[in-house]
Amino acid sequence: MKTKLYFTAIMLLGFMGVSNAQAQNQECMTNLSIYVEHAKVKNYEAAYTPWKMVYDNCPDINRANFIYGEKILADKIEKSSGTEKDGYISDMLALYDNSAKYFPKKYSEAVVGIDKALFLYDNKMASDTELYDMLGSAFEKDRAHFKNPKALYLYFSSLVDLHKEGKKDLQEVFDVYDNVNDKIEEENKALTGVITKLLPKDSTGTITSKEKRSLKIATSNSTSYGKIAGSVDSKLGALADCDNLIPLYEKSFEEKKGDVTWVKRAVGRMFNKECTDDPLFQKLFEAQLALDPSASAYVYGGTLKMKNGDSKGALADFDKAMTLETDPYKKSDIAYKVAVINKRKGSKSTARKYAQLAINSNKANGKAYLLIANLYATSANDCGSTPFEKRAMYWKAADMARQAGRVDPAVSSAANQSAASYAAKAPSKTDIFNSGMAGKTVTFNCWVGGSIKVPNL
């Protein structure tokens, strides 16, 4: 009898537990609806109490607990002070940790690390060491989800500041610089892939509303990565000058000459910073050639031959590099490097040839378009028999610069500046009127070739 009564009591308590859970869940749903409506109109004060009830009792009922919770707590932090503010700050940091606990697919380790680091940074509550350690850990453990441009810059910027304080060595700065740049290029490659696919649809009016949104987002994000890339380079500044690179690599060469990653990065940086006259560049090139006789090695070999006056041998090496590389993006990068080398040597037609090859391999290579635009602009005085015809070349240069910004928003800032500068040098409306050339075509008989149609008034 006792056993039966005990079993009945257990069943009753169990039923009451389920009923209580259902009641609480209903209360959570009601409060969820209330706080979301308040939060949507940014009435975070009114949203706080119902949000807190749901967050404390049903944290996993809806991701809105974390999406709106962050905004609600940020409002509380802004409007409070002293001990009360410290409490809300602790709540915010706990919110970030709990976001991964209850919604791990949406809040990865990198996302949480970035959220916490940026929150502390924005509120001036973390040192450079703390920021660098937090972001470095997030980057190393979860690089795939480390996609925030501001966090990428802060990760590198905090390291440079630590180096200036004597707390980090220069090699670490270069290693992180390379990793951050690789990540920026990786993300922008994916974004420009979307842009390249959707731009033709947009220009012909066959793009869907969903694709239009995707194009807008990709363009905006690519622009952000372009700005961050420029900021990262500016932050590195003179640290990567030849005066710093050469002694650093000389010191490490014997120890690192068998490390293919180190060698490739070292020779690549010396190449990019035009430190190719130093004997160390030859040593690094030979080390790479022994370790990895890849396409980029032939670019460096061609550079050395070009410096020694062997233009024919240099072009042969450059073409060999193009043949060896099968990845279209890497091939585009190689062709662009070769174009830059030939531009420096004053061989404009050859420079354009390789810049066009870069575009053929990657239609989103905005730097190649900008290089061609510059080649055209600097050839204005050599093309045309009249001042009007010479200045008409700037229209061609401006068109090419605008195209750079369209296909690769990461270079849009430089593209817009270049296009505006070239357009300002082209014939004005008054010039067009006085020349009687409105609507006519100017043909270029110099190395540039082609033509441009004069705008109608």
Side-chain angles (χ1 to χ4, degrees):
M1 183 68 178
K2 287 183 179 180
T3 302
K4 185 176 180 181
L5 287 172
Y6 179 77
F7 180 76
T8 302
I10 292 294
M11 290 292 290
L12 181 60
L13 288 171
F15 177 76
M16 289 174 63
V18 171
S19 298
N20 288 337
Q22 289 176 339
Q24 186 181 61
N25 189 66
Q26 185 57 50
E27 187 179 1
C28 283
M29 290 301 295
T30 300
N31 279 281
L32 173 68
S33 178
I34 293 170
Y35 86 68
V36 167
E37 288 305 311
H38 286 308
K40 281 181 178 179
V41 294
K42 299 183 179 180
N43 187 359
Y44 299 125
E45 187 66 35
Y48 178 76
T49 299
W51 167 78
K52 192 73 165 63
M53 179 272 157
V54 180
Y55 176 67
D56 287 345
N57 295 285
C58 312
D60 60 347
I61 198 169
N62 194 295
R63 196 157 66 96
N65 282 338
F66 299 94
I67 296 172
Y68 286 119
E70 183 179 21
K71 297 177 181 180
I72 292 167
L73 286 175
D75 182 70
K76 283 290 188 183
I77 290 168
E78 183 181 353
K79 295 176 179 176
S80 60
S81 60
T83 304
E84 184 182 32
K85 183 173 183 175
D86 291 340
Y88 290 131
I89 288 171
S90 295
D91 289 345
M92 182 72 91
L93 294 174
L95 179 90
Y96 291 134
D97 288 331
N98 285 332
S99 66
K101 177 180 177 180
Y102 294 108
F103 294 93
K105 292 183 179 179
K106 294 293 183 180
Y107 298 95
S108 69
E109 191 163 5
V111 171
V112 172
I114 288 169
D115 283 342
K116 293 175 75 171
L118 292 183
F119 170 74
L120 293 172
Y121 172 76
D122 290 339
N123 287 277
K124 299 179 174 58
M125 297 189 310
S127 66
D128 285 329
T129 298
E130 290 170 326
L131 290 172
Y132 177 64
D133 289 345
M134 288 177 69
L135 292 170
S137 176
F139 188 89
E140 291 169 12
K141 294 178 180 178
D142 189 20
R143 174 174 171 158
H145 296 102
F146 202 109
K147 295 175 179 286
N148 186 298
K150 180 180 177 180
L152 277 171
Y153 174 72
L154 186 59
Y155 173 36
F156 180 68
S157 175
S158 59
L159 172 60
V160 173
D161 290 340
L162 289 170
H163 168 71
K164 290 178 179 177
E165 294 172 10
K167 297 177 181 178
K168 295 290 182 180
D169 62 39
L170 189 57
Q171 185 61 59
E172 186 170 356
V173 172
F174 288 151
D175 288 343
V176 172
Y177 173 83
D178 287 330
N179 290 335
V180 167
N181 257 350
D182 287 348
K183 182 60 178 176
I184 291 172
E185 289 181 8
E186 174 189 317
E187 294 299 324
N188 200 51
K189 175 181 174 181
L191 293 168
T192 53
V194 173
I195 293 166
T196 300
K197 178 182 178 181
L198 297 180
L199 267 182
K201 290 187 174 184
D202 189 43
S203 61
T204 58
T206 58
I207 193 168
T208 66
S209 57
K210 182 179 180 180
E211 289 172 334
K212 190 85 170 177
R213 286 194 298 273
S214 296
L215 178 59
K216 183 178 180 180
I217 292 169
T219 299
S220 175
N221 289 341
S222 179
T223 301
S224 296
Y225 277 114
K227 290 177 180 177
I228 290 299
S231 297
V232 167
D233 283 337
S234 296
K235 188 71 178 183
L236 181 65
L239 291 177
D241 286 352
C242 298
D243 289 344
N244 285 320
L245 292 176
I246 293 169
L248 176 69
Y249 293 148
E250 281 281 16
K251 178 182 177 182
S252 304
F253 181 76
E254 288 302 322
E255 177 189 352
K256 297 282 192 177
K257 64 183 180 182
D259 183 339
V260 65
T261 300
W262 182 88
V263 169
K264 290 174 73 172
R265 285 182 166 181
V267 71
R269 185 169 291 109
M270 288 191 69
F271 173 83
N272 291 332
K273 290 297 179 178
E274 299 184 49
C275 309
T276 53
D277 289 332
D278 193 271
L280 177 62
F281 182 78
Q282 176 80 37
K283 288 169 61 178
L284 286 165
F285 158 68
E286 291 173 353
Q288 179 175 341
L289 200 60
L291 293 168
D292 181 27
S294 59
S296 60
Y298 283 93
V299 174
Y300 306 139
T303 303
L304 292 171
K305 288 179 181 177
M306 185 77 81
K307 283 185 174 293
N308 293 327
D310 183 8
S311 298
K312 184 178 180 180
L315 289 175
D317 275 0
F318 295 149
D319 289 336
K320 177 72 171 177
M322 294 290 291
T323 302
L324 283 175
E325 187 55 69
T326 56
D327 182 281
Y329 290 93
K330 291 180 180 178
K331 179 174 284 194
S332 179
D333 185 51
I334 287 171
Y336 173 75
K337 287 179 179 178
V338 175
V340 171
I341 293 167
N342 282 279
K343 178 178 178 288
R344 289 172 184 162
K345 288 294 182 181
S347 181
K348 293 183 178 180
S349 61
T350 305
R352 181 180 62 178
K353 169 192 168 184
Y354 283 99
Q356 188 58 56
L357 287 173
I359 293 168
N360 293 346
S361 293
N362 173 19
K363 296 186 185 302
N365 191 330
K367 293 185 295 183
Y369 282 101
L370 280 176
L371 189 148
I372 295 175
N374 180 263
L375 292 172
Y376 288 167
T378 55
S379 298
N381 288 331
D382 304 322
C383 298
S385 56
T386 67
F388 185 92
E389 290 178 352
K390 293 176 184 292
R391 291 173 62 196
M393 178 60 72
Y394 289 111
W395 279 319
K396 196 173 181 71
D399 285 346
M400 191 62 70
R402 292 188 194 99
Q403 182 66 3
R406 281 193 291 269
V407 302
D408 186 1
V411 302
S412 59
S413 178
N416 291 338
Q417 290 178 12
S418 296
S421 174
Y422 300 149
K425 296 175 182 177
S428 65
K429 289 184 178 180
T430 301
D431 295 327
I432 296 172
F433 177 79
N434 291 336
S435 68
M437 291 291 291
K440 295 182 181 180
T441 298
V442 175
T443 300
F444 302 110
N445 295 316
C446 59
W447 74 269
V448 173
S451 61
I452 191 80
K453 186 175 180 180
V454 179
N456 283 305
L457 293 174

